[in-house]
Amino acid sequence: MEVNRISINGKTVQLGQPYRAQTSELVGRDREMKKILAAWMGSAGDITLSPLLVGGPGMGKNRLVYECARVCAKELYIFQGHEDVSAEDLICAVRFSDDRERQMDYIMSPIVTAMIRGGICFIDEIAKIRPRALAPLASLLDERRYIDSIILGERIYAHPGFRLVGATNTIDLQQNQLPDFIQSRMRPVITVEFPGRAEIDAIVTSRFHSLNSRSRPLLDKYWNLWAERYGDHPPTPRDSIYIFGYAHKLADFESAGSDRPLVLDGSVKAAPITEAHIARAMEAFFKPTDKRSA
Ligand SMILES: Nc1ncnc2c1ncn2[C@@H]1O[C@H](COP(=O)(O)OP(=O)(O)O)[C@@H](O)[C@H]1O
Ligand SMILES: [Mg+2]
């Protein structure tokens, strides 16, 4: 792991690592992308906005953020929200140093790293974070654009290029409600809805090139099986990718036969999948009694 250190008022601090997403094609989502990118535009005399993405799991919120970071050619730093996050976790952690020259290492969070580097910070699952832990974000998200760190004993100002976006699952937002001081600063709220059938088909075919000309009957089979189970309730991109992915794995496993040792690393040629593989993957993933909520 490359370690990136800088100095803040004579204190050496360690920065976080950017996430470099693989750039497979993003299907659709033009409307959502436009909203995010417009919010980030730095019009003169104005503050930049920090949008909040809201949608069910597997809908494509992360993928959307990766694409926005790519379009802006900016580094992306991801902070994963959860119930145990403390206010200081959002900013900086301290630990005993492995380096004998120093006693302690200050480790900057993904948020502060993005602030320093002028990158994009993505706070995922933000509604899982307890309200009082979110307090340091108040000053960051308005025109002050700074964060105070008690551990570091410093006020850190955001680079002009810094941008932020949050995401939450719809259910978490209903159950936990973001505190008003965050909700009022995270605008616009952008809902990430189910993609249509044509988009799901394009997501699957762009991910699994080996389907080639056989994709139509296999996708039709998938949609029929899906409708048998869930009626009008559509699949998410993740549901669809996982089912086609598992169907491919079932085909590869079968074609390996009794070869031993079994080669797991994908270096063998992919075996063609059939409608039966799709049916078995569906069965393995979802029980007939599975109920889905929108
Ligand atoms: N519009 C899209 N185009 C291509 N792939 C997508 C799209 N939306 C989602 N995916 C893929 O679906 C999967 C789930 O998306 P993800 O962004 O992780 O969802 P979320 O963050 O909403 O839970 C990922 O593998 C992602 O790459
Ligand atoms: Mg996600």
Side-chain angles (χ1 to χ4, degrees):
M1 191 169 87
E2 89 198 53
V3 177
N4 191 354
R5 292 200 176 88
I6 61 156
S7 174
I8 298 180
N9 284 342
K11 294 181 190 102
T12 304
V13 303
Q14 187 173 316
L15 299 181
Q17 304 279 315
Y19 174 62
R20 297 192 179 91
Q22 295 160 341
T23 49
S24 70
E25 182 203 350
L26 177 79
V27 175
R29 298 295 188 202
D30 301 339
R31 184 188 67 90
E32 294 86 347
M33 271 196 68
K34 262 188 212 154
K35 286 190 183 174
I36 300 171
L37 296 172
W40 283 346
M41 295 302 286
S43 314
D46 200 5
I47 56 162
T48 66
L49 297 176
S50 303
L52 178 67
L53 309 182
V54 182
M59 211 69 100
K61 300 180 295 299
N62 280 55
R63 185 68 190 78
L64 198 49
V65 172
Y66 306 158
E67 190 67 11
C68 290
R70 193 186 69 78
V71 167
C72 305
K74 278 185 176 288
E75 288 180 342
L76 174 66
Y77 295 89
I78 304 176
F79 187 95
Q80 188 66 42
H82 57 80
E83 292 80 354
D84 291 335
V85 167
S86 70
E88 201 57 40
D89 290 339
L90 291 182
I91 309 168
C92 166
V94 67
R95 57 157 213 175
F96 292 109
S97 183
D98 301 327
D99 183 342
R100 288 187 194 177
E101 307 263 294
R102 276 198 306 275
Q103 288 184 316
M104 303 302 241
D105 282 335
Y106 296 104
I107 320 272
M108 300 293 108
S109 74
I111 302 174
V112 171
T113 303
M115 288 170 65
I116 292 170
R117 304 270 306 157
I120 285 166
C121 173
F122 174 39
I123 307 184
D124 200 4
E125 309 282 12
I126 191 169
K128 286 196 161 68
I129 303 176
R130 285 169 299 156
R132 73 194 144 110
L134 290 168
L137 291 183
S139 59
L140 178 62
L141 295 180
D142 62 29
E143 62 274 16
R144 289 173 283 173
R145 284 174 71 85
Y146 68 68
I147 232 170
D148 283 325
S149 167
I150 295 168
I151 288 182
L152 205 59
E154 297 290 343
R155 173 163 293 179
I156 302 158
Y157 284 90
H159 182 287
F162 169 75
R163 296 292 183 273
L164 190 138
V165 55
T168 173
N169 283 330
T170 319
I171 303 227
D172 286 330
L173 193 61
Q174 283 159 0
Q175 285 174 351
N176 301 344
Q177 280 291 323
L178 280 169
D180 290 345
F181 68 91
I182 291 295
Q183 201 139 18
S184 64
R185 284 171 172 82
M186 295 207 74
R187 297 283 164 84
V189 173
I190 300 168
T191 51
V192 183
E193 311 273 0
F194 285 97
R197 183 166 171 159
E199 277 87 24
I200 291 281
D201 288 357
I203 289 170
V204 170
T205 47
S206 73
R207 182 68 71 103
F208 300 101
H209 296 290
S210 59
L211 290 174
N212 292 328
S213 55
R214 293 172 312 112
S215 63
R216 194 63 269 152
L218 294 171
L219 281 163
D220 288 344
K221 177 74 180 178
Y222 171 60
W223 285 104
N224 290 340
L225 289 169
W226 186 274
E228 271 171 30
R229 274 161 203 261
Y230 304 116
D232 290 340
H233 197 302
T236 66
R238 183 176 292 140
D239 290 331
S240 313
I241 288 170
Y242 274 27
I243 288 173
F244 274 85
Y246 195 51
H248 277 86
K249 291 171 199 305
L250 288 168
D252 288 348
F253 179 71
E254 275 173 21
S255 85
S258 54
D259 288 357
R260 293 296 179 269
L262 184 62
V263 180
L264 297 178
D265 64 9
S267 59
V268 284
K269 195 169 171 295
I273 68 164
T274 62
E275 293 182 14
H277 292 124
I278 308 240
R280 279 170 44 210
M282 288 279 288
E283 245 155 60
F285 270 52
F286 305 114
K287 292 186 219 73
T289 50
D290 259 3
K291 287 271 180 299
R292 302 226 138 193
S293 59

